[in-house]
Amino acid sequence: MCGIVGCFAQKGCYEKLYSALTRLEYRGYDSAGIATLSEGGAFSVRKKRGGVAAIAGAPLIGCAGIGHTRWATHGVPSDVNAHPHLCGKFALVHNGVVENDAALRAELSAQGERFLSQTDSELIVHLIARAYAGDFFAAVSAACARIEGSYAVAVLCADHPDTIVCARRGCPLVAGAGGGALYVCSDIPALCGSAAYICPAEEGEFVVIRAGEIGFFRADGTPVPGKVFARVRGAARPRAVVAKTRMEAEIAEVPAALAGTLASLQEADLSACRAPFRAARRVLSVGCGTAYHATLAFCGLLASQGVPALCRPASEAADLAAGEGELLVAVSQSGETADTLAAARAARARGAFLLAVTNVEQSSLAALADAALFLRAGPEVAVAATKSYNCQLLCLYFVAARLLASRGAPQVWEQSLAALPALARRAFGSFSAVEQLAAAWQGARGMYFLGRGQDAVTAREGALKVKEIAYIFAEGLPAGELKHGPLALVEKGFPVALVCTARALVRKCAAAAAEVAARGGQVALFSQYAEALAIPAAFHIRLPAAPEPLMPALAAIPLQHLACRLALLRGHDPDRPRNLAKSVTVE
Ligand code: M6R
């Protein structure tokens, strides 16, 4: 959720920190801060409520520094609650949640410690200061041992102006080197363009930058052997179009992202999956938010072919009890979502085979998995997931096709996967109609998204996008459920987006449209079929045609554009929706 960065550079340390923070902003943007340490051991600190631009200003002096972008959990967004937090000789930035916050606060308060902020993070720097007896590393290690919960921290000490001590448990941390600087950071994309080489820290490891060198250690101070720095991949692709927001740019990149996914999908990546594909008793799948919607489409596809397949939001996966002889497919753009990691760890501990589908090669999820498929969608920065969803679906179609083939049920639609990038570009043809729809619906206080079968999944994803960035109440429903309650809200002008991509269900969709129209509701129909588009409706949005099982990857595109247009028309920044962060690293 928050983003942390540390940097040691003889020249331009402050500028490098600031630049990394601008790329980390998607992890939180309610406050930001930087602290640097001069050779003489003096701190310079600038921290403020607001985005990274709020702390722009003259460079702070020093070769070592730490920075933070915040997504508030404990304490409101404010200058005081912004990181870094200072205590005595120490400055600290933290990502994570201290779960024993109340007990530690009471203990430290009883010992006379006074806190300036309401954050749980400030407790850690007090613990470090109290544990310090001249050994910087030992003090950080001792403080970390007292924390229940999750953390990635980077710490400066006035007695050691050439050193940054960092640690992780439950939150990502990666070390980087390049351009005359050494880094630690929450995320690889924030180092793209700065670090040429990176190496992720594993769970429980410490990273120490000292006198121009970088090393990995265990909590007892012994070095971790065998750490290898790899060349940074996945630098941002040049944008295909001039877009005002990142979300618009990322929607415009969907065809190129799908082409990237397609080019990289190799049967060999699934070689380790042969036995579970053939023999798994059940195929289980977890993800959160948009990634969860991708698992719904995946499991629906497998179940339609008779494979026992179940999915859950990762935070609700306990009842799946994935275990020995079962395959768990965990889906996450970032590969760092805490709920998804927790479900994946639990399943693996019980003996399930774990296949990760993620966009980030060095992510915690990829490291945990028995096998991994990478989206290779390029960095996705806007908080609302767009191109990653289309690419997750493509990866999952590939997994489904290979799994079904290994069970003697090859699918003809597998041949059509190669056409998806071009078809996605054709979906842009619907955008002018979508813009008219957005103009008509911009004042709505609520709306429904309906579909049947796999279109109910697309409907849920469309509704999530609208809620998330346009702040309009939206619900995605199976169209057949309408008459069992939700119809009560439909009155004159109530907006209903109806997705219909299954020919066999056109008549049932017509019935739903008629139910809405009879109450004065306004239907927008999304379909590739002329007969569906002939259903009386206020708006008709034509989709490109693909084999029906692949339609969710295409039908999502106009809905992504609709949400983005609604946000912009209502004066909201779609890249920075309130209350949210791109990567949710707390459970
Ligand atoms: O990185 P992940 O795919 O694991 O993220 C999961 C969700 O937090 C994410 O999809 C979220 O729902 C999006 N902001 C929705 O647009």
Side-chain angles (χ1 to χ4, degrees), residues 17 105 197 512 551:
L17 284 168
R105 190 172 281 268
Y197 294 90
M551 283 304 291

Side-chain angles (χ1 to χ4, degrees), residues 532-554:
L533 292 168
I535 295 170
F539 297 90
H540 290 101
I541 315 290
R542 177 149 221 144
L543 302 172
E548 287 182 359
L550 310 186
M551 283 304 291
L554 301 174

Side-chain angles (χ1 to χ4, degrees), residues 161-509:
D162 63 350
T163 304
I164 308 172
V165 176
C166 314
R168 71 158 281 196
R169 190 209 294 152
C171 290
L173 189 70
V174 60
L182 298 174
Y183 296 93
V184 286
C185 191
S186 293
D187 231 341
I188 295 161
L191 294 182
C192 285
S194 313
Y197 294 90
I198 48 123
C199 181
E202 301 299 329
E203 195 65 355
E205 283 179 3
F206 288 67
V207 182
V208 178
I209 295 175
R210 185 184 295 132
E213 292 190 349
I214 197 159
F216 293 77
F217 298 87
R218 300 192 182 94
D220 62 4
T222 54
V224 179
K227 300 294 287 193
V228 178
F229 277 73
R231 230 179 203 295
V232 175
R233 299 216 300 195
R237 286 196 183 100
R239 300 232 164 105
V241 295
V242 179
K244 289 196 191 70
T245 66
R246 284 172 167 165
M247 184 175 177
E248 289 170 287
E250 286 163 7
I251 295 170
E253 286 166 6
V254 168
L258 285 168
T261 307
L262 206 56
S264 76
L265 284 176
Q266 304 285 345
E267 179 99 39
D269 294 335
L270 296 177
S271 56
C273 303
R274 277 189 198 124
F277 276 9
R278 232 184 356 260
R281 276 193 314 279
R282 293 188 303 169
V283 179
L284 307 168
S285 192
V286 294
C288 298
T290 290
Y292 167 60
H293 294 159
T295 71
L296 279 169
F298 172 60
C299 288
L301 185 53
L302 289 178
S304 73
Q305 299 302 311
V307 176
L310 284 173
C311 64
R312 291 280 186 281
S315 55
E316 295 290 334
D319 74 318
L320 283 182
E324 188 107 32
E326 298 184 317
L327 168 66
L328 181 80
V329 182
V331 184
S332 169
Q333 188 282 133
S334 62
E336 301 296 347
T337 298
D339 289 322
T340 308
L341 287 172
R345 279 194 195 104
R348 207 158 178 276
R350 281 193 299 264
F353 184 94
L354 176 62
L355 170 62
V357 175
T358 179
N359 201 23
V360 183
E361 281 183 52
Q362 287 87 355
S363 62
S364 304
L365 185 63
L368 184 67
D370 297 295
L373 270 192
F374 297 109
L375 307 184
R376 302 205 207 282
E380 185 179 74
V381 175
V383 169
T386 53
K387 62 177 178 172
S388 66
Y389 180 61
N390 310 80
C391 294
Q392 281 165 357
L393 289 173
L394 174 49
C395 278
L396 292 170
Y397 294 149
F398 181 66
V399 171
R402 297 292 78 220
L403 186 144
L404 288 164
S406 70
R407 293 178 183 223
Q411 301 293 305
V412 284
W413 49 257
E414 188 177 359
Q415 307 308 320
S416 302
L417 293 178
L420 279 180
L423 290 169
R425 190 161 289 110
R426 283 186 48 201
F428 294 166
S430 67
F431 280 11
S432 58
V434 169
E435 282 153 27
Q436 286 173 27
L437 179 62
W441 285 3
Q442 62 178 299
R445 295 184 53 210
M447 57 183 67
Y448 286 151
F449 287 76
L450 305 179
R452 296 190 72 116
Q454 63 181 10
D455 293 332
V457 178
T458 306
R460 292 173 74 140
E461 174 61 8
L464 174 65
K465 289 283 103 75
V466 167
K467 273 187 281 225
E468 183 178 22
I469 58 168
Y471 313 151
I472 300 172
F473 178 77
E475 194 173 1
L477 291 163
E481 279 294 293
L482 190 61
K483 55 192 175 296
H484 298 292
L487 198 53
L489 287 187
V490 175
E491 56 187 358
K492 191 166 168 23
F494 188 91
V496 177
L498 178 58
V499 185
C500 180
T501 69
R503 196 187 287 275
L505 295 172
V506 169
R507 282 173 57 186
K508 290 188 189 296
C509 286

